[in-house]
Amino acid sequence: LASNSISRIRGCFDKNLELEELNLAGNKISSFREIPCLNVLPKLYKLFFADPTYGDNPITLMMNYQTFTLCHVRSVIYLDYIIVTNEQRAVAESTYAKKRVFYSMRLQTMERTLDYLKAEAFALIAGPMKEAEAAIVRLEASLQEWQLELTKAEGYANYEINIAADRSRTTEIVSKRRYSAAIGRYRPKKRDLSPPARA
C-alpha cells in the first residue's frame, strides 16, 4: 500500500487479522488518529510509515510520532526498519503517560479559559444589545409622536383649505351680487313705446 496517496486508514484493516507486515510509506497520513486502529491486528510486527524507497508520511515529521505509535500498536517489533526493544517500549509508555497527564491538564486550563472568554464576549455583546433595545424603544415613541403631529397637521391643513374655499366662494357670491347691483343702478330705464291713450 506504499505510495498510494492514502490519507485515512481507520476501519480499513478490521478484517485483516492475519496481517503481519504493513508498508504505508509515501502516503498522506498526517493525523495521530489513524494509528490506534492498527492495534486490532494482533500479528502485525512490521510497520512502515517511512522508508528510503517510497518516502515518508507527514505524520513521521510530527513530534512524539514514535512514542505514540509504540504505545498504540503494541505488537510492532520493527517500526520504519528500526528494531523496537523492550527498553525503548517502556520509555515510550512512560513518556506517553506523562504527556497524557500534561495535555489533560493543559486541556482543562484551555477549557476554563474558553469559558471565561465566552462569558466576557457575552457581556460585551449584552451591553450594546441593551442600549440598542432602549434606542429602538425611544425611536418607536418618537415615531408615534411624529405620527400624531402629522395627523394633527393634516387635519389643520384640511381645515385651512376648507376655510380658504369657503372664503373664496363667499367672495365670489359677494362679487356677483355687487356686480348685479351695479348693473341694476346704471342700466337705462326702458322707454314706454306704447301709443298714447285716446281722449
Side-chain angles (χ1 to χ4, degrees):
L1 297 176
S3 189
N4 275 288
S5 299
I6 298 171
S7 60
R8 298 187 61 180
I9 57 174
R10 280 176 283 180
C12 295
F13 304 104
D14 292 351
K15 297 181 180 181
N16 303 98
L17 302 181
E18 301 298 321
L19 191 64
E20 297 181 355
E21 298 184 18
L22 180 61
N23 191 342
L24 293 168
N27 284 298
K28 297 181 180 180
I29 300 171
S30 59
S31 174
F32 281 163
R33 295 180 180 178
E34 306 299 324
I35 294 178
C37 69
L38 298 177
N39 197 38
V40 299
L41 305 175
K43 297 184 179 181
L44 182 66
Y45 73 98
K46 286 186 178 182
L47 178 61
F48 305 94
F49 285 103
D51 71 19
T53 303
Y54 297 105
D56 305 335
N57 281 274
I59 196 174
T60 61
L61 303 176
M62 299 175 67
M63 188 179 296
N64 303 317
Y65 151 69
Q66 291 183 344
T67 299
F68 191 89
T69 303
L70 293 177
C71 288
H72 287 84
V73 191
R74 299 180 181 277
S75 60
V76 169
I77 298 175
Y78 294 92
L79 178 61
D80 300 336
Y81 293 103
I82 298 175
I83 298 177
V84 180
T85 64
N86 291 332
E87 184 180 356
Q88 288 175 327
R89 190 179 298 279
V91 170
E93 291 177 353
S94 175
T95 302
Y96 177 76
K98 292 178 182 178
K99 288 186 177 294
R100 186 172 183 179
V101 172
F102 170 77
Y103 284 114
S104 177
M105 295 176 62
R106 183 76 178 273
L107 181 60
Q108 292 177 2
T109 302
M110 292 175 66
E111 288 177 347
R112 288 195 296 269
T113 303
L114 181 60
D115 291 338
Y116 172 77
L117 292 175
K118 284 181 179 179
E120 288 291 317
F122 285 132
L124 290 173
I125 294 172
M129 286 182 65
K130 290 181 180 179
E131 294 179 1
E133 290 176 355
I136 290 172
V137 171
R138 292 195 298 270
L139 179 60
E140 289 178 347
S142 299
L143 286 173
Q144 290 178 357
E145 293 180 0
W146 293 341
Q147 288 176 352
L148 181 60
E149 292 296 325
L150 181 60
T151 302
K152 291 180 179 179
E154 289 176 348
Y156 181 77
N158 292 331
Y159 176 73
E160 290 292 328
I161 291 170
N162 292 334
I163 290 177
D166 291 341
R167 286 177 180 174
S168 177
R169 286 195 296 271
T170 302
T171 303
E172 184 179 357
I173 293 171
V174 170
S175 297
K176 287 181 178 179
R177 287 179 179 177
R178 287 180 179 176
Y179 177 77
S180 298
I183 293 296
R185 285 198 302 269
Y186 294 102
R187 181 178 298 170
K189 295 181 179 180
K190 294 182 179 180
R191 295 181 180 180
D192 188 4
L193 300 177
S194 60
R198 295 181 180 180

